[in-house]
């Protein structure tokens, strides 16, 4: 009898730790800061990147509003709904698929965010709306603002997978 | 922005149910608690016992917005949260996009579903007027009786649901069957999606094979899964994701080790026979690797050629299972099959060449499919192949022979009655058929034609919308509108008269060519909009009901809320009318007729279930739905995994059937299966189809999609679903679109000599040039308006997929398309 290993498909543990990092990784920093955020139960504001560093095609993985909540910033090649920046083409979303909480990956070929677990796909150019799949909402969109030449995350529209409230 | 998901408190009421939508029947938990009494985020403060002050892990529990609603009952307002059940073997805690929105689909008078029908109505040419149940039943019952007395029972026509899940269930089906087959005794009957009362798979039943043979576990055990004319990622979602994909990805190897200890095995392969490159193809390739998926993109109407060619290769190479054929089939039918279908007198080369030309599939791929299905393993043990088929084959050209071809393939390769095998429909809706025997003949009467001829004087439609979804729908729409107008006018003129005079006026109108239409549904539809009596039905969640899923898993779907207003369950409606007719015939001193309508005095849902149960004997004669020995208490105790039908009582113990035909004989007098020799293979299309094909540029394939259930009766009201397909989309190849100046999001007209509909263009790599795919059943552009009235003469099953039409650009549709993504729906990374 042949002993077969499962084909390469991310398991649940891998999904929570893997990151499709093709850009710059940004975290919230220290545990103390994160803890303080939880206690305050208010939406934080974090700096993600300098505007001047955001070339077309940039993908930055970061965490928002806390270190348990991965997110992704994308610089698209077209003006999009709720995009910011000179080209109104900078957007960011929660990376947790709203179906079962796996972390989505960005596919530059079609500019789609796709969940590796059950293949729900989302369109970053349409506010993270579903393209096809089993997710029952689009990806929560991170509200971005530009201050002093930097892009900041300031809020979230939509509920992050696995939470009662976005700020916990 | 504030986003908050309500949590059920510790003392929330808990109900068990099954999704109301597709055949897969995923298990769900329903939490109900009074408004204003939410649980809190601490493990001690909510019914999940989870700490929502922390992020829940992937595959954890939470309440997304569509999984929550607030309903209004007679004693106040309640929260409802409906989440997938981790203990359900079918779905293991996963929701499809449809099931995820079960809570959102519930009736709420202050929400998107507020248009539910909630009170009976009588409609005249002056408009609709609310009525109470006694008034509606009195009028309808008297008209039915008068029509039977004047024209006979066959002048009473019906088109009814016959399914499980939402709106159906064994209880409602039994009452409908009792009323029409024992009471009225009409032959003018038809099933919700077709013009006759007939099986969609006569060939399988002639072979002695039930529609649903396998367990879902078999999809984890098979060496090869064959999918013909179906798109399970989108429309049988959690069967595909929770069972088939586990096999393709290798996750079910441990199950194979448990069940298949004496043979070699590997991760599964899949053959997909579909003209489109669907999301099923893309995700199967992502899970299994491209080399383990064989996608055969055949030409329309050529399924029979392709399947028989695969069988011929298997036959030529002696890969068929001669032991199974000798022991489990009527051998003389195998001999006939070799001559008629496999054309054993013809050279293999000639056979395959012709099949390749007709189907557009290269011969090496036909041979590869045969190898994957039947080439024995190294140890000479037969491969385990699970065959699945659905509407692409059923609603294809030559329904009878199409089904015969796949059943014969399964029989010749011995793929029935063993783990990892089967030959089953993938299914659309759930099943729950239990009715007294009908006497509709074969081929069954074409009711659409009878309506157009004027033979039917009363037409009762329930749980379906033929004005939009039947074939050549414009003709039926026009018939009901024109003939109905005569009765509407009579009703207006007699509205304030005693009911006996009203009925006399209606009968006069019927003599003038009119038709009296009764519409029974949960929402207003294009059909109820024409009905003279509108009857509001209760649905899923508002009644206790039972159904089986695609592996015949029988469960109790618990009632957890009240229906809107005066809506009542379908079985109660049928019982009301039966009692009315009993009373009318008794008053006529006609006991023979009165007795036909006796015994409709069920007291509750379970009483109907038990009454229906008397149809079953608990032995091998029962159909696949048989539930001998089962009652609600037993089902409640069995919980979300229920029991697989048919059930048997063995030494007093209730026993289910995991897969059919292991020890169970086939459903023929001999107990052995029959090959169904198909007539000589197809030589061409029917004349009217050929004419349409020659006159129009595009083949308009059509079907269901991930987000929209059937006619969108719920989903058109719910923004998340509706904004994905606010009108039907038309997938069209980029090069064809470029020639016609069409861009994604454009409004287009799809037209032929039958009719015309509007759709939204979706440039897609899923379809070949010259092919399009259109969403089926969308109320703002139903494909029925384009379909010829051609049916398979042997079965009266339409060729719904056989539409040719032209496409032209109307213009942009920015309001409709602004929220729609036009990225590929068949890309899995």
């Amino acid at each position: 009898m042949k002993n077969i290993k499962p084909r390469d498909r991310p398991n649940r543990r891998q999904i929570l730790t893997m990151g499709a990092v093709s850009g710059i990784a940004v975290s919230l920093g220290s545990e103390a800061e994160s803890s303080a955020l939880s206690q305050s139960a208010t939406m934080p504001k974090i700096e993600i990147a300098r505007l001047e560093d955001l070339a077309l095609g940039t993908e930055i993985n970061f965490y928002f509003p806390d270190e348990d909540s991965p997110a992704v910033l994308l610089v698209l090649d077209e003006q999009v709904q709720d995009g910011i920046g000179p080209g109104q083409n900078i957007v960011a979303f929660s990376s947790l698929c709203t179906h079962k909480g796996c972390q989505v990956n960005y596919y530059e070929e079609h500019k789609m965010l796709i969940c590796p677990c059950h293949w729900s796909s989302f369109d970053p150019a349409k506010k993270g709306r579903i393209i096809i799949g089993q997710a029952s909402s689009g990806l929560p969109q991170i509200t971005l603002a530009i201050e002093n030449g930097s892009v900041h995350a300031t809020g979230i529209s939509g509920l992050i997978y696995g939470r009662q409230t976005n700020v916990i | 922005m504030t986003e908050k998901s309500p949590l059920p408190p510790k003392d929330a009421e808990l109900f068990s149910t099954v999704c109301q939508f597709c055949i897969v029947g995923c298990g769900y938990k329903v939490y109900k608690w009074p408004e204003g009494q939410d649980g809190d985020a601490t493990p001690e403060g909510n019914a999940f016992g989870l700490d929502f002050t922390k992020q829940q892990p992937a595959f954890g529990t939470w309440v997304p917005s569509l999984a929550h609603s607030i309903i209004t009952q007679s004693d106040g307002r309640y929260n409802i949260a409906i989440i997938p059940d981790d203990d359900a073997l079918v779905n293991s805690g996963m929701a499809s996009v449809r099931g995820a929105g079960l809570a959102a689909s519930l009736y709420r008078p202050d929400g998107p579903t507020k248009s539910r029908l909630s009170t009976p109505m009588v409609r005249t040419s002056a408009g609709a007027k609310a009525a109470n149940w006694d008034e509606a039943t009195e009028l309808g019952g008297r008209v039915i009786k008068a029509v039977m007395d004047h024209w006979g029972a066959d002048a009473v026509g019906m088109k009814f649901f016959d399914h499980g899940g939402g709106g159906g269930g064994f209880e409602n089906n039994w009452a409908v069957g009792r009323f029409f087959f024992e009471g009225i005794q009409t032959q003018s009957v038809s099933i919700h999606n077709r013009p006759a009362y007939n099986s969609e798979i006569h060939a399988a039943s002639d072979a002695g094979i039930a529609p649903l043979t396998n367990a879902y576990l078999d999809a984890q055990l098979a060496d090869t899964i064959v999918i013909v004319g179906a798109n399970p990622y989108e429309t049988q979602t959690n069967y595909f994701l929770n069972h088939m994909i586990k096999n393709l990805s290798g996750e079910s190897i441990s199950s194979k080790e448990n069940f298949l200890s004496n043979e070699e095995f590997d991760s599964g392969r899949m053959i997909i026979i579909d003209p489109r490159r669907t999301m099923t193809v893309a995700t199967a390739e992502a899970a299994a690797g491209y080399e383990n998926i064989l996608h055969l993109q055949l030409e329309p109407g050529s399924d029979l050629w392709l399947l028989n060619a695969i069988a011929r290769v298997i036959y030529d190479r002696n890969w068929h299972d001669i032991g199974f054929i000798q022991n489990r089939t009527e051998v003389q039918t195998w001999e006939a099959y070799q001559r008629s279908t496999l054309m054993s007198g013809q050279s293999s080369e000639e056979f395959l060449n012709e099949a390749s030309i007709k189907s557009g599939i290269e011969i090496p791929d036909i041979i590869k499919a045969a190898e994957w299905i039947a080439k024995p393993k190294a140890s000479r043990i037969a491969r385990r192949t699970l065959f699945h088929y659905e509407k692409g084959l059923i609603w294809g050209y030559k329904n009878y022979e199409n089904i015969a071809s796949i059943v014969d393939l399964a029989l010749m390769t011995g793929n029935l009655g063993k783990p990892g095998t089967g030959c089953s429909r993938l299914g659309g809706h759930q099943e729950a058929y239990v009715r007294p025997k009908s006497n509709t003949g074969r081929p069954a009467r074409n009711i659409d034609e009878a309506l157009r001829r004027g033979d039917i004087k009363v037409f009762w439609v329930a749980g379906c919308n033929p004005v939009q979804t039947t074939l050549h729908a414009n003709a039926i729409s026009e018939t009901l509108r024109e003939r109905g107008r005569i009765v509407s006018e009579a009703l207006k003129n007699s509205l304030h008269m005693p009911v006996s005079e009203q009925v006399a006026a209606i009968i006069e109108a019927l003599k003038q060519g009119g038709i009296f239409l009764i519409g029974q549904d949960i929402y207003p539809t294009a059909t109820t909009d024409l009905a003279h009596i509108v009857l509001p039905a209760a649905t899923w969640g508002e009644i206790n009901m039972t159904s089986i899923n695609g592996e015949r898993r029988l469960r109790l779907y618990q009632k957890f809320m009240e229906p809107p207003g005066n809506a009542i369950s379908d079985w109660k409606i049928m019982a009301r009318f039966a009692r009315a007719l009993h009373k009318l015939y008794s008053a006529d001193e006609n006991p023979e007729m009165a007795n036909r309508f006796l015994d409709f005095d069920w007291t509750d849902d379970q009483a109907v279930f038990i009454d229906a149960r008397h149809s079953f004997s608990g032995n091998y004669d029962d159909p696949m739905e048989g539930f001998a020995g089962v009652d609600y208490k037993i089902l409640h105790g069995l919980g979300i995994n229920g029991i697989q039908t048919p059930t048997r009582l063995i030494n007093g113990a209730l026993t289910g059937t995991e897969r059919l035909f292991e020890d169970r004989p086939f459903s023929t007098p001999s107990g052995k299966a029959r090959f169904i020799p198909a007539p000589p293979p197809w030589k061409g299309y029917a004349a009217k189809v050929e004419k349409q094909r020659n006159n129009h540029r595009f083949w308009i394939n059509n079907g269901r999609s991930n987000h929209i259930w059937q006619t969108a009766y719920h989903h058109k009201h719910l923004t998340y679903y509706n904004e994905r397909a606010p009108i039907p989309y038309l997938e069209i190849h980029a090069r064809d679109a470029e020639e016609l100046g069409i861009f994604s999001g454009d409004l287009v007209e799809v037209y032929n000599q039958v009719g015309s509909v509007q759709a939204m263009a979706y440039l897609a790599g899923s379809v070949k040039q010259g092919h399009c795919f259109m969403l089926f059943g969308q109320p703002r552009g139903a494909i029925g308006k384009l379909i010829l009235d051609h049916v398979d003469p042997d079965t009266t099953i339409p060729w719904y997929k056989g539409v040719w039409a032209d496409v032209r650009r109307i213009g942009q549709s920015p309001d409709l398309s602004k929220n729609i993504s036009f990225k590929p729906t068949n890309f899995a990374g």
Side-chain angles (χ1 to χ4, degrees), chain B residues 205-271:
Chain B
S205 53
D206 288 350
I209 298 172
L212 305 170
T213 62
N214 64 290
Y216 281 176
L217 172 65
D218 291 322
Q220 297 194 36
L221 302 178
D223 295 304
T224 301
I225 302 170
V226 180
I227 305 284
V228 186
N231 179 12
Y233 177 85
E234 295 195 50
T235 59
Q236 294 91 7
T237 299
N238 283 326
Y239 180 27
F240 183 76
L241 289 175
N242 198 37
H243 302 275
M244 295 183 189
I245 285 290
K246 282 181 175 169
N247 189 357
L248 301 182
S249 67
E251 288 177 57
S252 68
I253 287 293
S254 58
S255 297
K256 292 188 179 187
E257 286 168 351
N258 289 336
F259 287 93
L260 314 175
S261 56
N262 296 316
E263 63 191 84
E264 66 271 30
F265 48 79
D266 202 337
S267 302
R269 290 171 172 169
M270 181 173 276
I271 300 168

Side-chain angles (χ1 to χ4, degrees), chain B residues 271 309 331 336 344 354 399 402 469 545 789:
Chain B
I271 300 168
V331 175
S344 52
E354 198 165 0
N399 162 271
N402 275 357
T469 61
M545 56 175 280
D789 56 6

Side-chain angles (χ1 to χ4, degrees), chain A residues 63-76:
Chain A
Y63 294 89
F64 186 80
D66 55 61
E67 62 183 7
D68 288 327
S69 177
V72 60
L73 176 145
L74 301 168
V75 184
L76 303 173

Side-chain angles (χ1 to χ4, degrees), chain B residues 159 189-191 194-198 444-448 795-796:
Chain B
K159 184 180 286 291
V189 289
S190 58
I191 292 174
R194 48 196 190 266
Y197 204 90
N198 47 0
R445 189 178 194 202
N446 187 323
I447 299 310
D448 286 9
T795 60
T796 327

Side-chain angles (χ1 to χ4, degrees), chain B residues 659-678:
Chain B
R659 67 181 61 78
L660 292 177
F661 311 124
E662 285 188 293
D663 55 351
R664 186 183 183 86
F666 290 98
S667 303
T668 60
S670 69
K672 292 188 173 186
R674 291 174 176 152
F675 286 89
I676 305 299

